Amino acid sequence: MNYVLKNALVFSGNGFSKANVFISNGLIADISVSAPNVGDLVFDFDNCYVFPGFVDVHVHLREPGFSYKETVETGSMAGAHGGYTTICAMPNLNPVPDSMETLAPQLKRIEEGAKINVLPYGAVTKGEKGEELSDIAELAPYVCAFSDDGRGVQSEDMMRSAMREIKKTGKILAAHCEDNSLLHGGYIHDGEYAKAHGHRGICSESEWGPIKRDIELVRETGCNYHVCHISTKESVELIRKAKKDGLPVSCETGPHYLTMNDSMLKEDGRFKMNPPIRSEEDRAALIEGILDGTIDMIATDHAPHSAEEKSRGLEKSLMGVVGLETAFPVLYTELVKKGVISLEKLIELMCINPRKRFKIASPFEVGQSADFTVYDLNAKYTVDPEKFMTMGRATPFEGKEVYGKCLMTAVGGEIVWKDI
């Protein structure tokens, strides 16, 4: 099928310019004011924006093993609704993908149910237990990277061994940095809100301590290392210094860490995630890390749970919130419209940088796969979880007024989401 996106404001890498985008046989055939404006279908997107498809390197699809929370189909549809064309699926599943035998069920579900590009992670250790390395060499050709996300690798020796093996594959080790010995039963940030409301807090060192350890191991092994969901000012500074030292280190943070602080918490499970929303000082440091390039990308850590699992308040609800369908509108509303970052910078953080760092997806250029999303940035609405495609409903942004509505998402030219 051939079709045209007409009169759109199209991302060119340096900015936006009005053009027609001609899609033919799944590829971007032309981007120009003179591109054909006739085809099997013509979509007039005057005053709307065409972006490269977003890439999220940190998503929990819950299948196989936990399909009562989410499935590959529902999670990937949520991605399409949010403008994502490629998402990377974390390995805290059942079975854990730590060998080709245990990866196979996940690959089957992806083949059968994925609406967008879904790339699996391989586990770093068997069962994500931190005791024995996974079949790293065997898995490497079939996974986007390696992670034990949801659990930190507690042993320095085990992490060193993992880095050495992953280094041989050329893949990235994406680390969930959490020192279990410092948690002490905490479940929200160890800050003013915790003290005022009698909650047990999670200290910042439980995150930055393992990052500090791992950076020294990167210095020793040369492994490509990526830090998941950073949330503290100390984490930003450690990664900033590692980059200045020329180490192959990158990191991500999430929309909630950039737009919220712990004074905004409520006694509701939809405000509980790991790591927790931190202080305003931490949030400001994350913004500075975005501005100076220390933080490479924004990932949602989309982590759906059942309604019952998120209905137990801050203390007893499971950790994790959904984010694929709110990430762009929340970030556009809070960071771009308020002049904190440019729209071009946001696209860099949500698409260009993750694509380059993880060597996935294709650039938005003539001759490349037609993976894109279209947004109306003037559309204003209130976040309503009942309208989500994900099975999860827990979001700290419920009821928030935002700008930016996803009108269309296409993968390989196939329109997988449309709301026009």
Side-chain angles (χ1 to χ4, degrees):
M1 181 176 70
N2 300 336
Y3 59 95
V4 180
L5 315 178
K6 185 179 175 182
N7 298 323
L9 290 160
V10 182
F11 181 76
S12 64
N14 299 316
F16 295 88
S17 57
K18 197 154 196 174
N20 298 332
V21 182
F22 183 51
I23 311 298
S24 179
N25 298 318
L27 303 178
I28 301 169
D30 196 2
I31 306 173
S32 69
V33 292
S34 60
N37 60 11
V38 292
D40 297 329
L41 292 170
V42 177
F43 302 97
D44 193 340
F45 284 127
D46 191 32
N47 291 320
C48 295
Y49 287 75
V50 176
F51 303 130
F54 304 148
V55 177
D56 192 338
V57 302
H58 195 140
V59 174
H60 298 269
L61 291 182
R62 305 302 193 198
E63 195 179 29
F66 307 95
S67 56
Y68 70 94
K69 301 174 189 273
E70 187 82 288
T71 66
V72 169
E73 182 175 2
T74 59
S76 60
M77 271 307 301
H81 185 202
Y84 289 91
T85 56
T86 299
I87 56 178
C88 300
M90 284 298 179
N92 51 344
L93 303 168
N94 186 16
V96 172
D98 53 22
S99 67
M100 286 307 300
E101 181 182 0
T102 52
L103 177 64
Q106 185 184 7
L107 292 177
K108 185 173 187 292
R109 283 164 174 78
I110 290 170
E111 182 180 1
E112 294 173 346
K115 303 302 182 182
I116 62 176
N117 299 314
V118 174
L119 307 176
Y121 273 85
V124 174
T125 64
K126 294 280 187 182
E128 291 194 317
K129 295 178 179 178
E131 298 169 355
E132 180 185 356
L133 289 181
S134 296
D135 297 342
I136 287 169
E138 182 183 45
L139 288 166
Y142 303 93
V143 300
C144 63
F146 290 90
S147 183
D148 269 5
D149 189 64
R151 302 180 184 181
V153 177
Q154 302 301 304
S155 164
E156 180 176 336
D157 286 341
M158 180 57 63
M159 183 58 98
R160 178 183 289 107
S161 297
M163 286 189 180
R164 285 174 174 163
E165 290 305 307
I166 293 170
K167 171 72 162 61
K168 296 175 186 176
T169 70
K171 295 287 184 177
I172 287 173
L173 193 162
H176 173 107
C177 290
E178 184 172 39
D179 184 339
N180 293 348
S181 71
L182 298 176
L183 297 180
H184 305 302
Y187 45 87
I188 64 171
H189 176 58
D190 187 18
E192 294 305 316
Y193 187 93
K195 293 180 178 65
H197 295 82
H199 291 296
R200 294 188 299 279
I202 300 174
C203 69
S204 296
E205 188 179 355
S206 65
E207 173 180 303
W208 65 256
I211 295 175
K212 184 177 181 181
R213 177 201 73 183
D214 288 354
I215 286 171
E216 292 310 305
L217 293 176
V218 172
R219 200 182 303 276
E220 177 184 331
T221 65
C223 180
N224 278 313
Y225 177 72
H226 178 80
V227 189
C228 297
H229 45 48
I230 69 167
S231 67
T232 77
K233 61 182 187 295
E234 293 90 350
S235 300
V236 176
E237 186 53 40
L238 284 165
I239 294 163
R240 180 180 288 124
K241 184 179 185 304
K243 287 189 166 191
K244 286 179 180 176
D245 289 346
L247 298 178
V249 170
S250 60
C251 69
E252 70 193 46
T253 193
H256 35 288
Y257 305 121
L258 291 167
T259 61
M260 302 183 72
N261 61 50
D262 68 336
S263 73
M264 301 175 184
L265 295 178
K266 295 180 181 178
E267 296 295 308
D268 190 315
R270 66 191 177 93
F271 291 87
K272 185 178 182 182
M273 70 289 292
N274 189 24
I277 294 168
R278 304 273 186 191
S279 70
E280 176 59 21
E281 189 178 2
D282 290 306
R283 190 192 74 84
L286 293 170
I287 293 292
E288 186 59 35
I290 289 286
L291 292 172
D292 71 10
T294 299
I295 297 174
D296 302 86
M297 63 197 75
I298 297 172
T300 64
D301 193 8
H302 177 86
H305 294 291
S306 71
E308 191 280 326
E309 289 168 334
K310 293 299 289 183
S311 68
R312 308 169 191 163
L314 276 181
E315 180 180 0
K316 295 184 179 179
S317 290
L318 295 187
M319 289 183 170
V321 295
V322 297
L324 286 168
E325 293 164 272
T326 56
F328 181 86
V330 164
L331 293 164
Y332 175 73
T333 302
E334 290 298 312
L335 301 186
V336 177
K337 282 186 71 68
K338 292 182 179 180
V340 179
I341 63 173
S342 67
L343 181 56
E344 290 83 355
K345 180 67 173 179
L346 183 55
I347 300 307
E348 180 184 306
L349 292 162
M350 293 187 68
C351 174
I352 309 302
N353 288 353
R355 177 181 66 79
K356 288 181 179 177
R357 175 60 169 152
F358 280 73
K359 297 182 174 63
I360 55 177
S362 57
F364 188 72
E365 298 171 358
V366 172
Q368 297 291 328
S369 179
D371 296 356
F372 64 85
T373 185
V374 183
Y375 262 84
D376 178 357
L377 298 186
N378 293 315
K380 183 170 73 169
Y381 59 98
T382 300
V383 174
D384 179 1
E386 293 308 310
K387 296 179 179 178
F388 288 171
M389 296 294 106
T390 174
M391 290 167 62
R393 294 290 182 266
T395 169
F397 302 119
E398 180 179 351
K400 181 177 178 60
E401 190 173 81
V402 295
Y403 288 83
K405 178 183 178 183
C406 184
L407 303 180
M408 181 183 288
T409 302
V411 178
E414 181 183 351
I415 298 169
V416 293
W417 170 262
K418 186 171 66 173
D419 187 8
I420 51 176

